[in-house]
Amino acid sequence: MDSIGSSGLRQGEETLSCSEEGLPGPSDSSELVQECLQQFKVTRAQLQQIQASLLGSMEQALRGQASPAPAVRMLPTYVGSTPHGTEQGDFVVLELGATGASLRVLWVTLTGIEGHRVEPRSQEFVIPQEVMLGAGQQTGLDRSTLISWTKGFRCSGVEGQDVVQLLRDAIRRQGAYNIDVVAVVNDTVGTMMGCEPGVRPCEVGLVVDTGTNACYMEEARHVAVLDEDRGRVCVSVEWGSFSDDGALGPVLTTFDHTLDHESLNPGAQRFEKMIGGLYLGELVRLVLAHLARCGVLFGGCTSPALLSQGSILLEHVAEMEDPSTGAARVHAILQDLGLSPGASDVELVQHVCAAVCTRAAQLCAAALAAVLSCLQHSREQQTLQVAVATGGRVCERHPRFCSVLQGTVMLLAPECDVSLIPSVDGGGRGVAMVTAVAARLAAHRRLLEETLAPFRLNHDQLAAVQAQMRKAMAKGLRGEASSLRMLPTFVRATPDGSERGDFLALDLGGTNFRVLLVRVTTGVQITSEIYSIPETVAQGSGQQLFDHIVDCIVDFQQKQGLSGQSLPLGFTFSFPCRQLGLDQGILLNWTKGFKASDCEGQDVVSLLREAITRRQAVELNVVAIVNDTVGTMMSCGYEDPRCEIGLIVGTGTNACYMEELRNVAGVPGDSGRMCINMEWGAFGDDGSLAMLSTRFDASVDQASINPGKQRFEKMISGMYLGEIVRHILLHLTSLGVLFRGQQIQRLQTRDIFKTKFLSEIESDSLALRQVRAILEDLGLPLTSDDALMVLEVCQAVSQRAAQLCGAGVAAVVEKIRENRGLEELAVSVGVDGTLYKLHPRFSSLVAATVRELAPRCVVTFLQSEDGSGKGAALVTAVACRLAQLTRV
């Protein structure tokens, strides 16, 4: 903002200069006045054009598009959060350049208590020469480089330097003060931050003072210069320099052109010169002088004061237009200008003031509507509810400016519900609030990092997990005590592509039961039907349960025209079993709500065969009982012969792989291979993972139905990750980091977080507002800062899970490579499970960890399709192929 000069009002000795030509008649006078004031009328279409043009320029500047040069600059201020009312502490604020050649020092105390304010103490120091803020470019919240001094200040060794660092150096030279410079702040940002927290978020700041400017909270991912994809940042909209001739040209008057021509910076800050308080008085003066020369005002007389730049100030315009001061005040101001106004002159002068200021408010509203539209587009919201903090003498002192502003904004942005909130000392309290928010965020960041540090595993920790798993694998295979049971599955080969035939598959793992017909030719065709298992059957007798299963199979055979045929059958039975052969599996215990009597400790294949026998005229050849992890490996093995590992990462987790038979102590024979069901969810139950267990893991374990068991699974699988996140959030809330330290009852609810929420929250395609919406749907009322922290918690927990899973896979592939004496191994892993498939980063993190820990293995991950059904049929098909080869 440049100074036009202010000679002030002149009293007493002004000499009137009157036109010697004939004065216009009443009708001519009216036409001249109307013609003059009509220039300041702005149509709705013109305002909409300015709004659209400014919005386009804002979006162009945000994208970092340099050509053509955007008509407005969008400068990030590195303020990443707005106040939420808990900020507290004592802060020193230096305000340089707000009131001319002076420095205001304030001591601001923030209590953090709603409704309890302590008035700041301040002192103003006069600077011997004209000192104002130099133009600068901010590169961080506490870094700002002075580009050039202006307005008479010429201190050497400052231009091109970081003024914050220069201030820090000066503080150190004094030696007696312990002051930390946290932030350098734009006055518009101070205005926004000085707004009292209310029902609506205050995320826009508007200043109309000597000049004009605005700022608002933008999604960081939209600000190209930042290269950030999360969180928000306050952007200063330098709209005073907006200079689109196509949009502004039609609303520029002859008086605007004259004012610009006579200013210190012709052609620059054209928009500001139509709005800013430094210029409104000058526009009024030019109009009054013109009308006086035309003989319409003051009897055709002017005065030296009326013809002098800067003689009418913003304060005079506000007073002359204020109806509460009456005509007497207008009369007095004009007399101080050396004029002799009549009654009609007073009324006409008020009309001129109203026309100039109304246009300024309308133009400001068009610019504000552009900012609101940008904010609305950024948040992808149908309607926007927001508070705009207003500051500056025009907003504060002009009687109608804010009401015209708000009315015009409603007209131009009807989808935005806007409240204008006067800011409380943006230059003092607002700047202190920026500092306080920065201090709060820094403190919260430290606490968050301390909390999440145990989840951020380094290479050595992951390598230790890999080594521990290798030891546990070896012990389990030898039949020694180990947290890995390493159960033989009696599956001796993976598909080789030559398998042919029709097979039945059964899939029992919950309240729904599937029967499948799987036709294996040059490809695999699947027909299936789902049958429900009533609770009375699932919790009745074992005979009743298996009779129901056979009834479902018979119904399926009849529908498929298979009655009377004896097809090989594979049975996926997803309950804990000890397998004694390919078609023998002893049920250890029921889970998932099943309690059928007389089944535990029995061979489930025998129970199924007995039910088949009871149902006469039914012939079924049960070939294999299959674990779902093995089915996953076999399903993918049909597509890729190198697939020799199966991995499940869903509600639970497990893995299997093809081991050399000579290493399997419990099975006779030394040649060939056998698939081993690792049951790796129990890895670490012997305490070998204690060094990685956190207080949150301990809380989840203690609250589970099987404390002390399945420790590896409880750090990896979807059933538990959400609970770990919930316990971390409870801890952070108790520290005051989240939810303003207020205990949220909903957060006390166990299992509020499901796997799908973690997957959705971490999706790269979601904006932070969508993350916030997901969490609010869970009943968690939170700010954008809270949402960002919840996101980081989810990322840390899921990253650890994926890395631990990767360390396990690395142990397996290295075991296979060493078994075979290979320098390098190329192998594929068949994977199933909702966490692995749906989480946006889990699969890539697993793969990256395997590459890091097993660099001599080239591992390909294949997502399984229907491992429980198709996989069971393929286990059966391979068994039939091998049996046929044996007979030959």
Side-chain angles (χ1 to χ4, degrees):
M1 294 174 283
D2 53 85
S3 174
I4 295 179
S6 56
S7 58
L9 293 180
R10 296 167 170 77
Q11 300 208 17
E13 358 174 344
E14 299 298 345
T15 305
L16 291 176
S17 172
C18 301
S19 173
E20 296 180 1
E21 298 178 7
L23 297 178
S27 62
D28 294 334
S29 297
S30 177
E31 288 179 10
L32 282 169
V33 170
Q34 289 303 317
E35 179 185 329
C36 182
L37 297 185
Q38 189 65 33
Q39 293 185 60
F40 289 91
K41 300 260 185 212
V42 186
T43 67
R44 182 174 179 177
Q46 288 171 329
L47 292 172
Q48 288 171 331
Q49 185 179 1
I50 291 169
Q51 176 187 2
S53 175
L54 183 57
L55 176 60
S57 294
M58 290 170 62
E59 291 173 342
Q60 179 189 348
L62 286 173
R63 292 193 300 267
Q65 184 179 330
S67 181
V72 67
R73 289 189 300 169
M74 302 286 283
L75 304 179
T77 67
Y78 299 89
V79 171
S81 179
T82 53
H84 62 32
T86 62
E87 291 78 12
Q88 54 185 307
D90 294 322
F91 303 89
V92 175
V93 175
L94 308 182
E95 190 175 11
L96 180 63
T99 56
S102 65
L103 171 70
R104 188 166 69 125
V105 181
L106 301 96
W107 182 280
V108 181
T109 298
L110 301 175
T111 65
I113 303 171
E114 185 176 353
H116 181 60
R117 292 190 60 229
V118 176
E119 287 300 317
R121 290 173 284 164
S122 68
Q123 188 169 346
E124 201 160 303
F125 299 88
V126 176
I127 299 176
Q129 54 183 311
E130 185 186 19
V131 176
M132 297 291 282
L133 289 175
Q137 178 174 339
Q138 200 162 346
T139 56
L141 185 60
D142 61 348
R143 297 191 302 276
S144 190
T145 303
L146 179 69
I147 294 175
S148 62
W149 285 118
T150 58
K151 304 172 177 109
F153 201 76
R154 292 290 181 269
C155 284
S156 61
V158 179
E159 292 183 346
Q161 301 297 310
D162 178 0
V163 294
V164 175
Q165 189 57 50
L166 293 174
L167 177 58
R168 285 175 173 152
D169 292 343
I171 291 170
R172 286 194 198 98
R173 284 195 297 273
Q174 291 293 325
Y177 304 102
N178 182 19
I179 300 173
D180 181 23
V181 183
V182 175
V184 57
V185 183
N186 171 292
D187 61 344
T188 317
V189 180
T191 295
M192 180 185 75
M193 299 294 278
C195 184
E196 293 279 2
V199 177
R200 296 182 180 183
C202 185
E203 297 185 301
V204 182
L206 168 66
V207 168
V208 191
D209 200 87
T210 50
T212 181
N213 196 19
C215 67
Y216 73 104
M217 297 301 293
E218 176 60 88
E219 302 292 323
R221 71 183 189 279
H222 293 155
V223 186
V225 69
L226 292 181
D227 196 26
E228 292 278 346
D229 61 354
R230 294 292 185 187
R232 291 175 179 166
V233 65
C234 180
V235 173
S236 176
V237 186
E238 300 289 318
W239 71 22
S241 60
F242 177 57
S243 56
D244 182 349
D245 290 337
L248 291 186
V251 298
L252 287 169
T253 69
T254 55
F255 307 104
D256 293 306
H257 289 296
T258 301
L259 182 148
D260 179 58
H261 179 71
E262 294 176 354
S263 70
L264 298 178
N265 56 350
Q269 301 294 107
R270 296 304 299 272
F271 196 59
E272 182 170 87
K273 289 170 183 172
M274 304 165 79
I275 296 175
L278 187 62
Y279 306 99
L280 295 184
E282 186 62 11
L283 282 171
V284 168
R285 185 191 70 80
L286 290 171
V287 176
L288 297 185
H290 169 72
L291 292 175
R293 290 194 193 98
C294 292
V296 175
L297 273 178
F298 317 128
C301 297
T302 62
S303 68
L306 183 62
L307 300 178
S308 299
Q309 261 193 359
S311 58
I312 298 181
L313 304 177
L314 169 64
E315 289 76 5
H316 306 142
V317 176
E319 289 179 8
M320 287 192 288
E321 198 184 337
D322 189 348
S324 66
T325 59
R329 183 58 186 146
V330 182
H331 200 277
I333 291 171
L334 294 175
Q335 279 189 324
D336 285 342
L337 286 170
L339 300 167
S340 300
S344 61
D345 292 334
V346 168
E347 185 179 353
L348 184 50
V349 168
Q350 288 179 314
H351 283 313
V352 170
C353 291
V356 170
C357 293
T358 298
R359 185 191 67 162
Q362 290 173 330
L363 293 176
C364 187
L368 180 57
V371 170
L372 295 172
S373 297
C374 191
L375 189 60
Q376 183 189 12
H377 297 166
S378 173
R379 307 282 165 86
E380 300 174 27
Q381 294 178 340
Q382 292 294 318
T383 58
L384 179 71
Q385 289 190 327
V386 68
V388 176
T390 61
R393 289 176 299 159
V394 175
C395 291
E396 293 165 2
R397 300 182 185 179
H398 191 278
R400 296 186 311 111
F401 190 90
C402 284
S403 61
V404 174
L405 175 73
Q406 181 145 23
T408 309
V409 168
M410 291 173 60
L411 188 69
L412 298 176
E415 65 285 353
C416 299
D417 186 1
V418 181
S419 300
L420 300 183
I421 311 294
S423 181
V424 182
D425 190 14
R429 187 174 183 276
V431 174
M433 191 61 77
V434 172
T435 311
V437 168
R440 168 174 60 82
L441 292 178
H444 287 180
R445 169 59 52 187
R446 285 192 297 272
L447 291 170
L448 180 67
E449 290 300 326
E450 289 171 7
T451 302
L452 297 182
F455 291 88
R456 307 196 195 282
L457 305 182
N458 58 38
H459 176 87
D460 291 344
Q461 289 172 305
L462 292 170
V465 172
Q466 180 186 17
Q468 289 278 5
M469 184 167 279
R470 285 293 302 274
K471 288 179 184 176
M473 290 170 71
K475 284 184 178 181
L477 287 170
R478 291 195 299 266
E480 299 173 10
S482 170
S483 61
L484 291 178
R485 297 171 72 179
M486 305 300 284
L487 303 174
T489 67
F490 298 90
V491 172
R492 298 174 183 270
T494 56
D496 66 3
S498 67
E499 292 80 11
R500 297 289 185 272
D502 290 352
F503 305 90
L504 282 177
L506 311 181
D507 178 14
L508 178 64
T511 53
N512 287 330
F513 166 63
R514 284 195 308 157
V515 184
L516 305 93
L517 171 63
V518 181
R519 289 201 161 101
V520 183
T521 54
T522 54
V524 177
Q525 293 178 308
I526 299 176
T527 305
S528 68
E529 187 154 346
I530 296 175
Y531 297 89
S532 65
I533 297 182
E535 186 176 350
T536 54
V537 174
Q539 298 183 4
S541 68
Q543 181 173 322
Q544 186 181 4
L545 172 63
F546 281 92
D547 283 348
H548 177 74
I549 289 172
V550 172
D551 287 343
C552 295
I553 297 170
V554 170
D555 178 75
F556 181 78
Q557 284 185 311
Q558 289 173 348
K559 288 179 179 177
Q560 300 300 320
L562 299 174
S563 298
Q565 295 186 40
S566 177
L567 297 180
L569 184 148
F571 187 10
T572 296
F573 189 75
S574 300
F575 297 92
C577 284
R578 183 174 74 253
Q579 216 160 331
L580 304 177
L582 186 61
D583 62 348
Q584 290 179 279
I586 306 300
L587 175 63
L588 300 178
N589 58 277
W590 283 117
T591 59
K592 306 172 188 177
F594 279 71
K595 292 182 181 177
S597 61
D598 303 322
C599 294
E600 292 181 348
Q602 300 298 311
D603 176 9
V604 293
V605 175
S606 295
L607 294 175
L608 179 61
R609 284 173 174 157
E610 289 169 7
I612 292 169
T613 302
R614 284 194 296 273
R615 180 72 183 252
Q616 297 175 358
V618 177
E619 293 186 33
L620 292 172
N621 176 20
V622 184
V623 173
I625 182 169
V626 182
N627 172 282
D628 57 353
T629 315
V630 179
T632 295
M633 179 187 76
M634 298 295 276
S635 176
C636 292
Y638 185 79
E639 309 297 332
D640 181 355
R642 297 183 308 169
C643 184
E644 297 186 87
I645 302 170
L647 173 65
I648 300 283
V649 195
T651 307
T653 183
N654 194 18
C656 67
Y657 72 103
M658 297 302 293
E659 177 60 85
E660 304 302 312
L661 192 57
R662 66 179 183 272
N663 296 331
V664 185
V667 179
D670 289 329
S671 62
R673 295 169 183 160
M674 179 170 287
C675 180
I676 298 296
N677 170 19
M678 296 177 67
E679 290 294 339
W680 82 0
F683 175 54
D685 287 1
D686 56 358
S688 55
L689 288 178
M691 72 286 192
L692 298 183
S693 182
T694 69
R695 58 187 291 183
F696 312 108
D697 295 304
S699 296
V700 170
D701 178 56
Q702 286 302 310
S704 70
I705 60 172
N706 55 350
K709 300 184 181 300
Q710 300 295 103
R711 299 306 297 269
F712 195 56
E713 182 168 84
K714 287 172 182 172
M715 300 169 87
I716 291 179
S717 74
M719 176 174 280
Y720 303 100
L721 296 191
E723 270 300 277
I724 295 173
V725 167
R726 186 178 71 86
H727 280 279
I728 295 173
L729 300 186
L730 283 170
H731 173 67
L732 291 173
T733 303
S734 71
L735 296 177
V737 173
L738 284 177
F739 313 125
R740 305 182 187 182
Q742 299 171 359
Q743 291 296 325
I744 307 296
Q745 189 59 41
R746 179 71 169 149
L747 205 54
Q748 309 293 329
T749 307
R750 189 175 168 184
D751 294 326
I752 183 178
F753 279 90
K754 305 296 182 187
T755 308
K756 69 170 187 174
F757 292 136
L758 269 71
S759 298
E760 289 173 3
I761 285 168
E762 292 188 58
S763 173
D764 291 334
S765 63
L766 286 194
L768 196 59
R769 68 157 190 88
Q770 292 165 300
V771 173
R772 210 172 144 182
I774 290 169
L775 296 170
E776 285 173 346
D777 285 344
L778 291 176
L780 301 179
L782 71 177
T783 65
S784 295
D785 295 335
D786 291 335
L788 196 56
M789 289 195 184
V790 172
L791 171 64
E792 289 193 51
V793 170
C794 292
Q795 288 174 333
V797 171
S798 60
Q799 176 170 303
R800 184 190 67 162
Q803 288 178 319
L804 289 174
C805 184
V809 174
V812 172
V813 297
E814 277 294 299
K815 178 77 165 68
I816 294 174
R817 185 186 66 79
E818 291 179 14
N819 280 347
R820 300 176 188 179
L822 299 174
E823 280 297 313
E824 289 191 357
L825 171 72
V827 68
S828 296
V829 181
V831 195
D832 204 353
T834 51
L835 181 59
Y836 184 92
K837 287 184 171 181
L838 299 181
H839 191 281
R841 301 185 308 131
F842 199 94
S843 59
S844 61
L845 286 168
V846 171
T849 306
V850 174
R851 285 194 299 273
E852 180 183 342
L853 297 178
R856 290 193 281 178
C857 299
V858 179
V859 183
T860 303
F861 290 86
L862 307 170
Q863 289 198 20
S864 168
E865 294 179 12
D866 194 11
S868 298
K870 176 182 172 183
L874 286 168
V875 169
T876 307
V878 169
C880 291
R881 171 172 63 81
L882 294 179
Q884 196 171 21
L885 287 174
T886 304
R887 286 195 295 271
V888 172

